[in-house]
Amino acid sequence: MHASFPQFSRDIQKVMSLGADTEKVNGVLDRIGGTFAAGGMAMLLKVGFGFILRDSLLGKKQAEKAQTFFDENFITMNPEADGGIEYYQGKFLIRTSNPEDDMNVWFRFCPEPDRLYRDTPFGKCLDPDAVVAVEVLKEEEAQQVAADPDKVDLVISFKDVETIIGLVNKPDADIASLLLENLVQVQGNVGHMFKFGAIGKNIEMELGM
């Protein structure tokens, strides 16, 4: 698990950096602290992971490109599943260990498969907003989510706000040191860590980053 975390974090850092480069979140980390930090991270993750899919509603060509990326990263064939396909529905909670920080981001892929597509003038197309769901939680809500295996697959807990913001502002942060110094803890199904990071890596490759 420790060996996989550095690569996972680098991939996610790049995705958040991609989100930070958009006008929508320009300057979002300039006024950092607590709940605002959670909102900033939520927006970076939402925009970053949705970057490839964001133009899917603008035209047939863009819709086809988004669908191809979605098929390769979020769909597996399963004859026992409804319709013969299964969507990746990983659920993650990113937070700090200090309750006073009130820093909790609940991140989910394809939470409602029946709402993944929208009708457009050129046919039914993937809805980018339905592929990635990000929600900022209050501390009490986060505690409930963290304790419910139906709501979260992996919990990533950082020591404090400064540690987690360091990952966003410093792409070269030494993740291994954070683990060794007990500045971050990971609980849950570690297999989702690889998938989460792989999607980020594929976004990077798609964009030639």
Side-chain angles (χ1 to χ4, degrees):
M1 180 179 71
H2 284 201
S4 67
F5 194 77
Q7 181 59 49
F8 162 82
S9 297
R10 282 192 291 271
D11 294 336
I12 303 312
Q13 285 169 347
K14 289 179 181 178
V15 169
M16 289 193 292
S17 295
L18 180 63
D21 285 340
T22 67
E23 292 182 2
K24 185 176 180 180
V25 291
N26 185 31
V28 74
L29 297 177
D30 289 344
R31 306 179 304 280
I32 210 63
T35 303
F36 187 85
M41 169 167 274
M43 188 175 293
L44 293 179
L45 288 168
K46 176 77 171 179
V47 175
F49 273 105
F51 202 87
I52 297 296
L53 309 171
R54 64 177 183 170
D55 295 333
S56 62
L57 302 177
L58 299 181
K60 186 175 180 179
K61 186 175 181 179
Q62 292 95 325
E64 290 175 349
K65 181 178 180 181
Q67 185 64 56
T68 297
F69 183 85
F70 180 79
D71 291 347
E72 293 175 349
N73 289 275
F74 295 95
I75 290 181
T76 56
M77 306 307 295
N78 183 355
E80 297 183 0
D82 185 24
I85 62 174
E86 190 170 70
Y87 298 101
Y88 176 62
Q89 295 180 279
K91 303 175 289 292
F92 306 83
L93 180 62
I94 303 174
R95 60 189 312 205
T96 73
S97 299
N98 182 4
E100 295 182 0
D101 287 340
D102 203 15
M103 167 73 189
N104 305 283
V105 177
W106 191 27
F107 188 92
R108 294 168 291 158
F109 289 112
C110 306
E112 298 180 89
D114 57 336
R115 296 187 178 183
L116 283 171
Y117 293 89
R118 289 171 55 179
D119 291 323
T120 72
F122 47 90
K124 191 175 291 291
C125 295
L126 194 66
D127 183 351
D129 287 332
V131 175
V132 179
V134 187
E135 187 176 347
V136 175
L137 303 179
K138 300 298 292 182
E139 191 64 29
E140 183 176 338
E141 296 174 309
Q143 291 283 19
Q144 294 173 353
V145 168
D148 188 344
D150 290 331
K151 292 185 176 180
V152 67
D153 297 304
L154 192 69
V155 179
I156 303 173
S157 302
F158 292 85
K159 179 182 178 182
D160 49 31
V161 170
E162 288 72 20
T163 303
I164 198 169
I165 295 305
L167 295 181
V168 181
N169 289 333
K170 300 177 182 179
D172 58 346
D174 187 349
I175 309 302
S177 294
L178 296 181
L179 287 164
L180 292 172
E181 296 170 11
N182 292 320
L183 296 178
V184 62
Q185 295 180 336
V186 180
Q187 296 176 307
N189 186 337
V190 182
H192 288 279
M193 178 185 294
F194 290 99
K195 181 63 176 178
F196 192 75
I199 295 173
K201 184 67 174 180
N202 289 339
I203 290 176
E204 175 190 353
M205 294 175 64
E206 185 77 15
L207 298 175
M209 294 171 62

